[in-house]
Amino acid sequence: MFNLILFGPPGSGKGTQSEKLISTYGFKHLSTGDLLRSEIKNQTKLGLEAKSFMDNGQLVPDAVVIGMVDAAIGANKGVNGFLFDGFPRTKAQAIALDELLGTHDTSINLVLALDVPEDELVVRMIKRAKTSGRSDDADENVQKNRIAVYKNETLAVAEHYATFDKVITLNGLGDIDVIFASLCAEIDARA
Ligand code: ADP
């Protein structure tokens, strides 16, 4: 199994690149943002609990997200590998993920981090708001919150995996296909 984390701030292009990576490598895509939005759409108890956090640009509590990922991993036994997108987002989530994967005799092989300057992130989120229908993209204060949460809580995830030498940082600015090729080169060098 080859398990990959696609890492980066909100608006860095994780969703776009994930789609291309899953179709090339056959990873099972595990996006906690997508899973949460689907819970909201289906008006589940979990979705109702998550919505106010998401609308404010705050993180959904670790226990909720970890439980959701645990279920998704358990439901996808036998896949070639997972592509984690938007997860882990806190050090506690990273530690929980390592443990979860360990119980399935596997681990994270590689963390690919997309580097995009903050002013460009805001430009992209404003643009995405026009078509995504995502309430958390449209509001400037919410965008600022998400970037602050990324700095305060999520950067620790990259530090966690850097201690195991698993992190490669790539330029996330420029042509989508050029960025994709640079991601593929890193995977191909290890898979
Ligand atoms: P983006 O790609 O813009 O970062 P996501 O779709 O990954 O956005 O996530 C949208 C929102 O869902 C986050 O702002 C957060 O409220 C919630 N969320 C997603 N993943 C997690 C997670 N791993 N832990 C806590 N909250 C999460």
Side-chain angles (χ1 to χ4, degrees):
M1 247 180 132
F2 190 89
N3 299 304
L4 175 71
I5 295 174
L6 192 55
F7 186 82
S12 58
K14 298 187 297 289
T16 305
Q17 296 295 341
S18 288
E19 274 178 34
K20 295 171 76 70
L21 289 168
I22 56 173
S23 68
T24 301
Y25 294 98
F27 294 121
K28 173 68 192 168
H29 187 201
L30 220 159
S31 156
T32 43
D34 287 352
L35 290 173
L36 289 166
R37 280 184 288 276
S38 141
E39 296 281 342
I40 292 174
K41 199 168 150 222
N42 296 326
Q43 298 188 314
T44 65
K45 188 165 166 277
L46 194 159
L48 293 174
E49 191 186 339
K51 189 175 184 330
S52 57
F53 292 101
M54 294 172 75
D55 283 348
N56 290 314
Q58 299 297 335
L59 293 182
V60 175
D62 284 340
V64 174
V65 178
I66 292 164
M68 213 171 60
V69 171
D70 186 9
I73 292 175
N76 286 285
K77 293 199 178 106
V79 296
N80 285 333
F82 289 99
L83 192 174
F84 296 97
D85 163 9
F87 179 89
R89 244 177 166 96
T90 62
K91 187 169 179 189
Q93 291 181 15
I95 291 168
L97 176 63
D98 294 345
E99 279 174 16
L100 276 177
L101 291 175
T103 66
H104 295 276
D105 294 319
T106 185
S107 61
I108 291 298
N109 296 82
L110 179 63
V111 179
L112 292 175
L114 291 170
D115 184 27
V116 176
E118 195 168 320
D119 49 357
E120 170 70 9
L121 298 175
V122 174
V123 170
R124 289 187 189 179
M125 279 190 263
I126 293 168
K127 194 173 159 208
R128 183 166 72 182
K130 292 188 181 128
T131 53
S132 70
R134 276 177 54 169
S135 45
D136 60 342
D137 280 339
D139 184 303
E140 199 186 326
N141 287 324
V142 174
Q143 290 166 8
K144 283 193 183 136
N145 266 347
R146 284 158 71 198
I147 293 173
V149 166
Y150 172 78
K151 288 181 185 161
N152 295 335
E153 305 198 48
T154 306
L155 271 178
V157 171
E159 286 160 18
H160 169 78
Y161 288 107
T163 62
F164 303 106
D165 254 341
K166 290 183 175 176
V167 182
I168 303 278
T169 301
L170 297 164
N171 176 19
L173 265 189
D175 186 80
I176 288 173
D177 289 323
V178 172
I179 298 165
F180 179 62
S182 69
L183 293 168
C184 291
E186 298 297 340
I187 295 168
D188 295 343
R190 287 167 186 80

